[in-house]
């Protein structure tokens, strides 16, 4: 910045209100009740606070409550200041880039590194809640007959687990790690739109809070897909699902837009497309999917909302609509969503392997082509989810083949990863162990996916625990393992402190063994006829289910090992991490830990890609000889 | 220790960003936003043709479901006219005819607002409700969300106009580094040339508004003519 900023004391009212998480919650609750009141005033329907005195069936009041609640939450957070100033023709006037203090983590902050850490903690919180739901599901399935939860509550548990995981975890890599590291990797000081970056995080948090309130409104019976006609028929707990996923969609769309704009316009001089770190390519591919798929989700949820409030008949056959319309539109979003979850995992693995194999990334261009190929093909496969829904049988072969075709670009990334390992000097650090586990897990996930893409075998496995095991191998095996790889790899840079290596290895081995012990038997359970989302199952499947439940509890316990390591290492042990503990050539590791607010004194000039391991020592980026900005 | 950054360096003395950065960012954002908007309305296009082809219970479009072509055409024409005026305003702004840009911008804002009012009039006087079949649902849903997008774009236009009017007397020069870069670390009083904010935003707005008007024409063809 050329001019030295002069501190201006904000007006009294702003100092009193403060704009932080506390005011956001207060305004959010106030906004909810205002919307709820207006909704009841419009509809004149029965009054019930939080379900006391009966379930509130006035969907309009619930939707208005959520919308005004979110608006109040964001205004309380400080997001109203910028548009209000611009509305009156003034430039922005709020200091949003605090440089120090814990307070910056509880409000609107435009420092991409703060937003990254906010995401990591926020996503961790909802991952924990979603995981807790999974544990409760496995408690219920210890016995073939119903014992702990009534069927309706069980369905809500399944729905909350799935929705929370699919919604919140869509940003598991892009939220914490892309926000934090993409600007560093491309030599920028910030994201293209820092306020939008912060907005995406707080929208996600508001959404997560709203989804958890579904239990006050009777829950929802549809699972994470929100299928019609159950969706239209469900009580107001369904509204929480709709608003949650719509907020996730808006957040994803804006996150994708911001990432693409940042990578396209803010790369430092010399950082050509062929020198872009592979992680950034993965982020770019994911961002394209987020930008284009999320609007379809928002639109279909908008239709569902109109069906439930304005009495439109989009999904009601007796009113000229069709539930299949929902299925089609949902999966136009839903299948790219699978790759929104999987692609960042590819990117993490390909980014980390060269560091720990001490070899250049094999087939850089092939890996990029693989990720872009997956991005493209993921739009052409959605109807394989409708094989059993009565689609025109002439369409089945096309979608079967397009689904199988996607294994080719996926194979590119697999091949590049394996060839990078070939004859490498592999260091079995904790992040590397998680990356290696990805190969094993994702292979099983991918191979079992072929069964589901083939019409004949899909007919027998659709809707069973087989498909459930498949997507857990793909999503948990592909995303969550790489999520932990990224945490162990980058936490020393993000915090300046190192995690305990021994505890990390215990976490890995317990998690890896328990994960496979949990989900591999479910393939068998599916083949033997256990249906998804059923609270009861045949008695002869009890042994498998008990085995799986116990394994799941061990899997849950492995998360506690991680949590202990995380909290103990960062809050109590606080052992300073070396600036570059992995001897990485990537530019973020050439910066101090933690990274200064301004990232770079001068924008660097890139001279090569960051994968020159095993070659004569050369830096991938140099300090600029003179002040320079981004390149076009 | 790093060669490219030091923790002790104060943010206020690091170099400024290039002035054209915000323009580049907004330009790419405008195009990306247009792509996302296209996919959003694609869902309604799909719904239209899907429900029309199914015609469940012969309730796709009962006879009384017939929105006013006159009002629909007016809404579409006003949206297109508004986008056209903004485009002409951009040309004026490039040629340093700031007064003319403000006039055209204000007219564009008024045209857009009238289009929204007419859309409300059409809903109220349509003679059918949201529950009257598939077409009625698509019609209400599509036009309602279109109004939301138009409102958002008009808010953007108002922002630029308000800045242009507020600082209409200050001369506009070449912005200094960091001036119009959109750097979130800058405070309002740091920005000596607020008109640079208008300069970088107007081109992007013009593109997006023209795109949205194009979608309005598509909606008009699908909902009224087919």
């Amino acid at each position: 910045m050329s001019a030295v900023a002069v501190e201006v004391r904000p007006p009294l009212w702003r100092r009193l209100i403060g704009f932080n998480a506390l005011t956001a919650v207060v305004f959010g609750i106030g906004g909810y009740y205002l919307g709820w009141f207006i909704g009841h005033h419009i509809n004149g329907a029965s009054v019930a606070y939080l379900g006391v005195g009966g379930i509130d069936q006035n969907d309009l009041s619930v939707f208005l409550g959520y919308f005004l609640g979110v608006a109040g939450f964001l205004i309380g957070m400080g997001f109203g200041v910028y548009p209000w100033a611009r509305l009156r023709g003034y430039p922005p006037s709020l200091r949003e880039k605090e440089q120090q203090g814990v307070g910056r983590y509880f409000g609107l902050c435009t420092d991409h590194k703060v937003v990254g850490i906010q995401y990591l903690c926020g996503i961790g919180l909802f991952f924990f809640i979603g995981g807790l739901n999974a544990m409760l599901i496995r408690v219920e399935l210890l016995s073939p007959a119903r014992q702990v939860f009534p069927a309706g509550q069980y369905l809500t548990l399944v729905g909350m687990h799935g929705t929370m995981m699919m919604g919140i975890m869509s940003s598991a890599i892009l939220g914490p790690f892309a926000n934090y590291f993409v600007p560093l990797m491309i030599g920028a000081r910030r994201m293209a739109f820092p306020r939008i970056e912060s907005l995406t995080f707080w929208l996600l948090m508001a959404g997560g809070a709203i989804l958890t309130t579904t239990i006050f409104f009777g829950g929802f019976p549809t699972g994470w897909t929100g299928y019609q006609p159950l969706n239209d028929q469900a009580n107001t707990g369904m509204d929480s699902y709709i608003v949650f996923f719509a907020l996730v969609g808006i957040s994803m769309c804006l996150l994708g837009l911001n990432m693409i704009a940042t990578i396209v316009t803010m790369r430092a001089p010399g950082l050509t497309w062929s020198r872009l770190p592979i992680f950034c390519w993965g982020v770019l591919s994911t961002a394209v999917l987020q930008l284009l798929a999320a609007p379809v989700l928002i639109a279909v949820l908008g239709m569902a909302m109109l069906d439930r409030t304005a009495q439109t008949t989009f999904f009601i056959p007796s009113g000229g609509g069709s539930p299949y319309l929902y299925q089609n539109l949902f999966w136009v979003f839903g299948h790219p969503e699978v790759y929104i979850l999987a692609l960042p995992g590819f990117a993490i693995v390909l980014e980390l392997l060269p560091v720990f194999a001490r070899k250049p990334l094999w087939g850089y261009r092939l890996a990029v082509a693989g990720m872009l190929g997956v991005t493209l093909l993921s739009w052409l496969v959605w109807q394989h989810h409708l094989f059993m829904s009565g689609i025109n049988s002439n369409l089945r072969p096309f979608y079967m083949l397009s689904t199988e075709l996607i294994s080719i670009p996926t194979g590119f990334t697999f091949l590049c990863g394996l060839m990078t390992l070939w004859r490498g000097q592999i260091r079995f650090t904790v992040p590397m162990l998680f990356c290696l586990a990805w190969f094993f897990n994702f292979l099983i996930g991918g191979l079992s996916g072929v069964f589901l893409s083939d019409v004949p075998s899909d007919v027998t496995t659709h809707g069973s625990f087989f498909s459930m095991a498949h997507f857990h191998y793909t999503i948990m095996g592909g995303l969550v393992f790489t999520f932990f790889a990224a945490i162990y790899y980058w936490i020393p840079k993000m915090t300046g402190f190192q995690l305990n290596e021994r505890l990390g290895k215990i976490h890995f081995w317990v998690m890896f063994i328990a994960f496979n012990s949990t989900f591999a038997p479910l393939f068998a359970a599916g083949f033997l006829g256990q249906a998804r989302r059923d609270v009861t199952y045949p008695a002869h499947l009890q042994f498998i289910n008990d085995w799986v439940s116990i394994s799941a509890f061990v899997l849950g316990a492995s998360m506690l090992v991680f949590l202990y390591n995380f909290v103990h290492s960062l809050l109590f042990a606080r052992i300073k991490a070396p600036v570059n503990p992995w001897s990485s050539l990537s530019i973020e590791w050439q910066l101090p830990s933690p990274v200064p607010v301004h990232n770079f004194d001068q924008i660097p000039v890139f001279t090569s890609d960051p994968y020159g391991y095993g070659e004569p020592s050369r830096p991938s980026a140099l300090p600029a000889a003179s002040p320079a900005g981004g390149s076009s | 220790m790093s060669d490219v950054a030091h923790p002790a360096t104060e943010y206020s003395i690091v170099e400024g960003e290039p002035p054209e950065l915000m323009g580049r960012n907004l330009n790419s954002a405008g195009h990306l936003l247009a792509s996302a908007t296209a996919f959003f309305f694609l869902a309604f296009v799909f719904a239209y043709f899907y429900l029309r082809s199914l015609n469940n219970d012969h309730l796709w479009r009962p006879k009384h479901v017939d929105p006013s072509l006159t009002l629909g055409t007016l809404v579409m024409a006003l949206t297109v006219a508004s986008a056209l005026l903004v485009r002409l305003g951009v040309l004026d702004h490039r040629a340093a005819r700031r007064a003319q840009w403000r006039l055209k911008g204000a007219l564009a804002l008024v045209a857009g607002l009238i289009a929204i009012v007419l859309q409300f009039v059409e809903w109220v006087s349509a003679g059918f409700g949201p529950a009257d079949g598939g077409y009625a649902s698509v019609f209400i849903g599509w036009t309602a969300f279109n109004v939301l997008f138009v409102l958002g774009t008009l808010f953007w236009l108002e922002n630029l106009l308000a800045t242009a009017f507020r600082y209409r007397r200050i001369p506009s020069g070449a912005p200094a580094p960091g001036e119009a870069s959109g750097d979130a670390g800058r405070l309002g009083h740091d920005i000596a040339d607020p008109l640079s904010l208008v300069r970088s935003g107007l081109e992007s707005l013009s593109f997006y508004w023209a795109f949205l008007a194009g979608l309005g024409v598509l909606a008009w063809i699908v909902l009224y003519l087919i």
Side-chain angles (χ1 to χ4, degrees), chain A residues 44 60 86 101 270 347 353 526:
Chain A
L60 182 66
R86 296 305 307 272
L353 286 182

Side-chain angles (χ1 to χ4, degrees), chain A residues 1 6 8 87-92 189-190 265 292 295 310-311 313-314 318-319 321 324 590 592 598-599 601-602 628, chain B residues 1-2 4-6 9 11-12 14-15 17 24-25 36 39 50 56 59 130-131 133 137 155 158 166-167 181 188-189:
Chain A
M1 176 183 315
V6 181
V8 175
L87 187 71
R88 293 174 298 140
Y90 288 109
R189 291 220 175 87
R190 61 181 177 89
T265 65
L292 301 181
Q311 313 307 318
T313 57
F314 282 103
S318 59
Y324 294 123
Q590 318 312 319
H598 55 273
N599 294 354
D601 286 1
Q602 291 185 341
Chain B
M1 188 46 247
S2 162
V4 285
H6 300 84
T9 309
Y11 184 68
S12 56
V14 298
E15 81 206 51
E17 291 175 332
R24 283 208 313 255
N25 285 345
F39 271 71
Y50 191 79
N56 275 338
L59 275 172
S137 298
F155 177 78
E158 193 280 340
R166 182 170 291 281
Y167 298 100
S181 69
H189 58 266

Side-chain angles (χ1 to χ4, degrees), chain A residues 187-243:
Chain A
R189 291 220 175 87
R190 61 181 177 89
M191 295 289 287
F193 301 103
R195 289 182 196 86
I196 287 180
E197 183 189 19
S198 182
L199 178 67
T200 61
F201 168 72
W202 288 111
L203 279 175
L204 206 61
M205 293 303 101
I210 283 171
L211 184 67
T212 53
T213 64
T214 188
I215 52 177
F216 297 120
F217 296 104
F220 59 96
T222 60
W224 83 275
T225 53
Y227 263 13
Q228 302 289 347
L230 271 180
N231 187 316
D232 268 355
Q233 295 161 356
N235 58 37
T236 43
M238 200 72 227
D239 301 339
S240 313
Y241 165 91
I242 291 172
V243 176

Side-chain angles (χ1 to χ4, degrees), chain A residues 412-434:
Chain A
F412 288 177
T413 54
F414 225 82
L415 179 70
C416 292
L418 286 173
M419 290 303 288
T420 304
L421 290 174
W422 182 253
R423 292 184 174 171
Q425 296 172 330
I426 298 172
R427 292 183 291 171
F428 292 99
T429 59
V430 179
M432 185 60 162
L433 290 173
F434 277 101

Side-chain angles (χ1 to χ4, degrees), chain A residues 90-176:
Chain A
Y90 288 109
S93 56
L94 176 68
R95 177 166 284 286
E96 294 154 338
K97 193 161 188 168
E98 288 181 47
Q99 298 185 18
Q100 290 177 348
V102 179
R104 63 192 162 150
Y105 295 104
F106 295 93
L108 192 177
C109 185
T110 51
D111 184 342
H112 66 96
K113 299 177 289 296
V114 173
V115 177
I117 290 172
Q118 285 176 326
Y119 257 110
L120 186 61
C121 297
I123 282 178
L125 173 70
F126 287 110
F127 180 66
F128 181 75
I129 295 173
L132 214 54
N133 287 329
M135 295 299 110
L136 294 175
I137 291 167
R138 288 318 312 180
V139 167
E140 173 59 51
L141 294 178
L142 278 167
S143 164
R146 178 165 65 84
Q147 58 173 20
V148 183
F149 303 107
Q153 283 183 19
Y154 176 78
L155 276 177
T156 295
L157 272 179
V158 172
M160 276 186 70
H161 166 70
T163 312
M164 191 77 83
M165 291 303 195
M166 295 299 280
I168 299 282
M169 294 305 278
S170 300
S171 304
I173 302 289
L174 262 64

Side-chain angles (χ1 to χ4, degrees), chain A residues 318-519:
Chain A
S318 59
S322 170
Y324 294 123
L325 172 63
Y326 183 93
Q327 289 195 22
N328 274 291
L329 288 175
F330 182 83
W331 288 111
V332 168
F333 153 78
H335 206 83
E337 160 75 353
V338 173
Y339 293 101
I340 287 170
L341 294 160
L343 274 170
F346 296 6
I348 292 282
V349 170
L350 293 175
E351 182 69 31
L352 268 58
L353 286 182
V355 179
F356 296 111
R358 310 312 293 170
K359 270 184 67 189
L361 178 64
W362 190 91
Y364 173 93
R365 284 167 198 255
L366 190 66
V368 172
M371 289 195 284
L372 295 179
V374 168
T375 304
L376 181 67
L377 286 176
S378 67
W379 294 100
L380 304 176
V381 302
W382 88 89
Q383 285 224 343
H384 72 229
H385 295 277
L386 279 74
F387 281 158
M388 294 299 292
S389 299
I391 65 166
N392 187 329
S393 57
N394 291 327
L395 288 172
R396 285 171 157 184
F398 171 78
Y399 285 99
M400 185 171 86
L401 289 173
S402 64
T403 306
E404 288 172 355
L405 197 64
I406 213 165
S407 59
I408 293 175
T410 309
F412 288 177
T413 54
F414 225 82
L415 179 70
C416 292
L418 286 173
M419 290 303 288
T420 304
L421 290 174
W422 182 253
R423 292 184 174 171
Q425 296 172 330
I426 298 172
R427 292 183 291 171
F428 292 99
T429 59
V430 179
M432 185 60 162
L433 290 173
F434 277 101
C435 287
L436 294 175
W438 173 86
F439 282 99
F440 183 81
N441 298 335
F442 204 78
L443 182 67
I444 295 177
L447 290 178
S448 56
V450 177
F451 287 78
L452 294 166
S453 67
D454 276 350
V455 176
S457 52
D458 183 63
V459 168
T460 57
T461 51
H462 186 93
S464 75
F465 265 57
F466 183 91
S467 58
M468 203 271 268
H470 155 71
F471 71 69
H472 276 85
Y473 262 99
T474 312
I475 305 302
M476 188 163 180
L479 174 72
V480 177
F481 274 78
T482 54
F483 175 65
F484 281 116
I487 288 178
Y488 282 103
Y489 180 68
W490 273 315
I491 276 291
K493 181 56 59 186
M494 295 169 87
T495 63
F497 299 107
Q498 61 187 45
L499 296 173
N500 184 298
E501 176 90 0
R502 179 186 292 264
L503 284 173
K505 286 189 174 169
I506 292 171
H507 168 216
F508 167 76
W509 283 111
V510 176
M511 182 177 165
F512 180 67
I513 292 167
F515 167 78
N516 281 285
S517 179
T518 301
F519 292 105

Side-chain angles (χ1 to χ4, degrees), chain A residues 2-16:
Chain A
S2 56
V4 176
V6 181
E7 280 296 337
V8 175
R9 198 171 165 78
L12 178 65
W13 65 270
R14 188 177 293 164
R15 274 179 281 148
L16 287 176

